[in-house]
Amino acid sequence: MITAHVRHEVAPGIVYDAWTFDSIVPGPTIRVTAGDTVDFTLVNRGPIPHSMDFHAAEIAPDRAYRNVMPNDSVQFRFVARVPGAFMYHCGTAPVASHIANGMYGALLVDPKGGRPAADEYVLVQSEFYMTAPQGRDSLRGMDWGKVLNASPDYVVFNGVSARYATSPIPVAPKRPLRLFVVNAGPNRVSAFHVVGAIFDRVYVDGFGAPLRGLQTWNVPVGGGAIFDLTLAEDGYYPFVTHAFADATKGGVGVLRAGTPAGTAH
Ligand SMILES: [Cu+2]
């Protein structure tokens, strides 16, 4: 991956001076099978030190997650031993700043033998804490006081406020659906819930059996969970963090199952 500082539109007309992996927020999703060796190189093309911390790795952080100076790189490898939906993020101090500025993503580890067939989607929840627009380009940066008060302006799935409320995700009803949810934070727990559905199975990290029949499951900051569900019929099914201040700030999306009533065929 390559770190780069780029402009990122969090909401219409709200452009943020983001710090990124591979110029996108969240960074690219990585998917491996338990037992795979991940051979990773980070090149820093940003103007300040950055680093990489994989929650899926068991490794000496002072070696692998060390700060990489501008135009330098770090390379390390690890075996992804444990299945789950794992966060990765920049671990350079202050970490809250590097996460709040956009440096995070998901690394999915499937169990050996794979997962049951389903239509799969990855949702990374995170927050933005913004200054007023500055300069000719009206760019917004991070407001550190808001970060420390855990008081975001926007809570987002996959980098954009209410992204999938604006453009619902088309899915099939009566078919297995799987949502990999990673909560990058840096501060707000995700009370993940799908309106009109009950999760058939929720897999937390690790080797244990899934939990069955849940309405809402907390995805901790710095954690992930895997939600298997089936939507009962055609319709619009919102997904939210049920911490509703955060849903109001953009932590909401919609699954459009089949052809809901009132939509054109
Ligand atoms: Cu960083």
Side-chain angles (χ1 to χ4, degrees):
M1 284 188 206
I2 298 172
T3 64
H5 292 197
V6 303
R7 296 173 181 201
H8 173 70
E9 191 164 20
V10 176
I14 306 295
V15 182
Y16 189 82
D17 187 12
W19 306 352
T20 72
F21 292 110
D22 285 355
S23 300
I24 50 176
V25 182
T29 297
I30 304 168
R31 190 165 191 177
V32 302
T33 299
D36 284 355
T37 296
V38 177
D39 190 334
F40 178 75
T41 302
L42 182 70
V43 177
N44 185 4
R45 296 288 182 224
I48 61 171
H50 291 299
S51 59
M52 175 57 92
D53 174 338
F54 283 110
H55 287 193
E58 296 162 288
I59 199 165
D62 54 322
R63 173 176 68 83
Y65 303 164
R66 68 174 175 80
N67 280 338
V68 181
M69 295 299 133
N71 294 313
D72 199 357
S73 66
V74 67
Q75 187 269 339
F76 58 88
R77 48 174 63 193
F78 63 93
V79 175
R81 184 178 65 88
V82 179
F86 290 91
M87 181 184 180
Y88 68 75
H89 64 91
C90 180
T92 297
V95 178
S97 161
H98 287 253
I99 293 175
N101 275 306
M103 302 191 79
Y104 45 77
L107 192 164
L108 311 179
V109 183
D110 293 319
K112 285 176 183 161
R115 299 183 184 279
D119 295 331
E120 299 180 322
Y121 301 89
V122 180
L123 299 171
V124 177
Q125 183 178 317
S126 64
E127 303 128 31
F128 284 94
Y129 303 80
M130 295 188 181
T131 62
Q134 294 162 342
R136 268 198 321 197
D137 297 340
S138 296
L139 271 184
R140 294 165 197 258
M142 180 190 62
D143 184 316
W144 183 237
K146 290 180 181 176
V147 174
L148 294 183
N149 285 323
S151 183
D153 297 283
Y154 293 94
V155 177
V156 302
F157 287 110
N158 291 349
V160 176
S161 176
R163 175 172 180 169
Y164 304 111
T166 309
S167 302
I169 300 172
V171 300
K174 301 181 176 132
R175 244 170 73 158
L177 188 61
R178 178 168 301 127
L179 305 175
F180 295 90
V181 179
V182 167
N183 184 9
N187 290 319
R188 308 288 303 173
V189 170
S190 178
F192 192 74
H193 174 76
V194 175
V195 180
I198 293 174
F199 300 122
D200 297 324
R201 298 181 201 80
V202 177
Y203 298 81
V204 296
D205 312 331
F207 300 98
L211 303 156
R212 304 294 301 267
L214 299 187
Q215 57 183 313
T216 301
W217 184 254
N218 271 355
V219 182
V221 180
I226 300 161
F227 298 84
D228 283 9
L229 67 161
T230 302
L231 303 179
E233 57 181 339
D234 288 9
Y236 292 104
Y237 296 76
F239 59 87
V240 296
T241 169
H242 219 284
F244 258 103
D246 294 344
T248 304
K249 291 176 176 179
V252 58
V254 175
L255 304 169
R256 190 188 71 226
T259 309
T263 51
H265 284 257

